Amino acid sequence: MEEKYQQIKLLTEKERYADALVLVEALLKDNSHDDMLWYLKGNIYKKQEQWQQAIDSYTEAITINRENPATTMRRICIDILNFYDKTMYNP
């Protein structure tokens, strides 16, 4: 499975998000309890700034394994969504 994880990471780094998602979804069909697949899926969505899908994927990874790095990434996504700087807006 490590080989598949690396393939997904490489596709994501190359910004081939659709291909990465197709691979993740195919693997999740038979491995729905694989927290690393959910984490990688969250990373794909995060790179596309699809925050809710990223948070949902990270949450699923955390539900399966609390020690997954998705815990930190989920918090980062929420912090990004909660960021507000009133000096950036023109009244």
Side-chain angles (χ1 to χ4, degrees):
M1 191 60 106
E2 187 63 37
E3 194 175 295
K4 295 294 184 184
Y5 297 152
Q6 293 306 320
Q7 188 177 359
I8 294 165
K9 290 176 186 177
L10 183 61
L11 289 169
T12 303
E13 288 171 11
K14 291 184 175 184
E15 298 181 3
R16 293 178 52 195
Y17 305 124
D19 294 334
L21 277 173
V22 166
L23 181 54
V24 168
E25 291 295 340
L27 292 169
L28 280 171
K29 285 182 182 177
D30 295 327
N31 303 287
S32 62
H33 295 294
D34 187 325
D35 61 302
M36 187 55 68
L37 287 174
W38 286 104
Y39 170 72
L40 294 171
K41 185 176 181 180
N43 287 347
I44 296 165
Y45 284 128
K46 182 180 69 66
K47 289 281 193 174
Q48 298 177 85
E49 297 184 4
Q50 295 182 18
W51 305 113
Q52 189 57 58
Q53 292 93 329
I55 290 168
D56 291 346
S57 297
Y58 291 142
T59 301
E60 187 65 34
I62 295 163
T63 301
I64 297 167
N65 176 11
R66 271 222 176 277
E67 302 301 317
N68 189 293
T71 304
T72 301
M73 296 308 295
R74 183 178 181 278
R75 189 175 335 109
I76 289 170
C77 289
I78 291 170
D79 288 347
I80 289 168
L81 290 174
N82 287 333
F83 177 76
Y84 174 75
D85 182 358
K86 59 185 173 188
T87 64
M88 294 178 68
Y89 298 96
N90 229 347

